[in-house]
């Protein structure tokens, strides 16, 4: 009975520790190349610190069961994720937040890279602002099974889709709530598109 209890306790503790993974330390740069990582829970880039950079390069597959978060807390500013290769892939089981509470978070999907999630939000809280996402280059894809919101509560966010980049979502929202404003979406270049299954809403509230 004691052995079973100890095993159960160890499993619970391991599960709690795995709920949030930090694949790069705050303020550091980490390049993933020729690796496959499967993580239980969330992946966070910039928990409290600033200028954190995660690069996904050649032959890299990052999967996680939870959310992806760039700029988690208010002190986490100017953090960034770059997918820079046709064989760079990130599959998130839940949504992606570009600027949860932190400001000036950045996302780059380029050179044919692939990003998949359940949905995405830029500037989740009022404290988060001036976040940006750039999807550029033929074959570069950011696909969302759920909605994509550019400016949930914070202001001054940008989504740029160019040079054949592709973004997909269920609904699309630009400036969702009353606290957000001055958000921008630009789609330019042959083959560039933001494809939605449902409506595109500007200034919803």
């Amino acid at each position: 009975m004691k052995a079973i209890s100890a095993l159960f306790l160890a499993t619970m503790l391991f599960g709690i520790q795995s709920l949030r993974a930090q694949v790069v330390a705050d303020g550091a740069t980490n390049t993933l190349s020729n690796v496959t990582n499967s993580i239980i829970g969330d992946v966070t880039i910039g928990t409290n610190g600033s200028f954190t950079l995660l690069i996904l390069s050649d032959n890299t597959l990052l999967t996680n069961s939870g959310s992806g978060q760039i700029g988690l807390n208010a002190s986490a500013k100017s953090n960034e994720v770059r997918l820079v290769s046709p064989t760079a892939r990130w599959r998130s089981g839940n949504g992606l937040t570009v600027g949860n509470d932190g400001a000036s978070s950045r996302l780059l999907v380029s050179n044919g890279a692939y990003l998949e999630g359940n949905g995405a939000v830029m500037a989740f809280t009022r404290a988060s602002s001036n976040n940006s996402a750039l999807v550029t280059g033929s074959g570069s894809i950011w696909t969302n099974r759920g909605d994509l919101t550019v400016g949930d509560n914070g202001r001054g966010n940008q989504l740029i889709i160019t040079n054949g980049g592709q973004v997909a979502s269920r609904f699309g929202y630009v400036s969702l709530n009353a606290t957000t404003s001055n958000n921008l979406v630009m789609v330019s270049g042959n083959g560039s598109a933001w494809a939605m299954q449902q409506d595109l809403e500007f200034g919803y509230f």
Side-chain angles (χ1 to χ4, degrees):
M1 189 67 178
K2 290 181 180 179
I4 294 173
S5 298
L7 177 61
F8 177 76
L9 179 59
T11 302
M12 289 297 293
L13 288 174
F14 178 78
I16 291 169
Q17 291 171 351
S18 300
L19 288 179
R20 177 168 290 125
Q22 199 164 12
V23 293
V24 53
D26 279 2
T29 297
N30 187 19
T31 299
L32 301 180
S33 181
N34 297 301
V35 295
T36 297
N37 288 332
S38 183
I39 295 170
I40 298 172
D42 299 342
V43 168
T44 302
I45 299 88
T47 300
N48 293 297
S50 300
F51 303 106
T52 309
L53 174 60
L54 176 64
I55 301 172
L56 277 64
S57 187
D58 296 330
N59 303 310
T60 293
L61 172 59
L62 173 62
T63 62
N64 66 290
S65 62
S67 301
Q69 298 166 330
I70 308 173
L72 179 61
N73 296 316
S75 60
K77 300 176 181 179
S78 300
N79 298 289
E80 183 174 3
V81 174
R82 300 176 190 167
L83 289 81
V84 298
S85 165
T87 52
R89 293 156 293 162
W90 183 8
R91 292 190 171 100
S92 183
N94 209 330
L96 174 65
T97 304
V98 183
N100 182 71
D101 216 12
S104 302
S105 300
R106 294 181 296 274
L107 171 68
L108 171 66
V109 182
S110 64
N111 300 319
Y114 180 84
L115 173 61
E116 177 185 341
N118 193 47
V121 171
M122 300 177 68
F124 183 63
T125 71
R126 293 180 66 178
S128 181
S129 63
N130 301 304
N131 306 289
S132 65
L134 172 61
V135 182
T136 181
S138 178
S140 299
I141 296 173
W142 180 13
T143 184
N144 297 278
R145 296 180 295 275
D147 304 337
L148 172 56
T149 301
V150 182
D152 192 336
N153 287 289
R155 56 184 294 160
N157 306 282
Q158 295 186 355
L159 169 62
I160 309 297
I161 308 166
T162 187
N163 296 326
Q166 300 274 334
V167 174
S169 65
R170 186 177 58 178
F171 282 88
Y173 296 101
V174 183
S175 298
L176 178 61
N177 292 307
T179 57
T180 185
S181 62
N182 297 87
N183 300 293
L184 169 72
V185 174
M186 183 176 74
V187 182
S188 67
N190 291 334
S192 302
W194 182 3
M196 276 150 284
Q197 298 174 11
Q198 301 291 336
D199 298 338
L200 173 61
E201 302 278 0
F202 280 82
Y204 191 73
F205 284 111

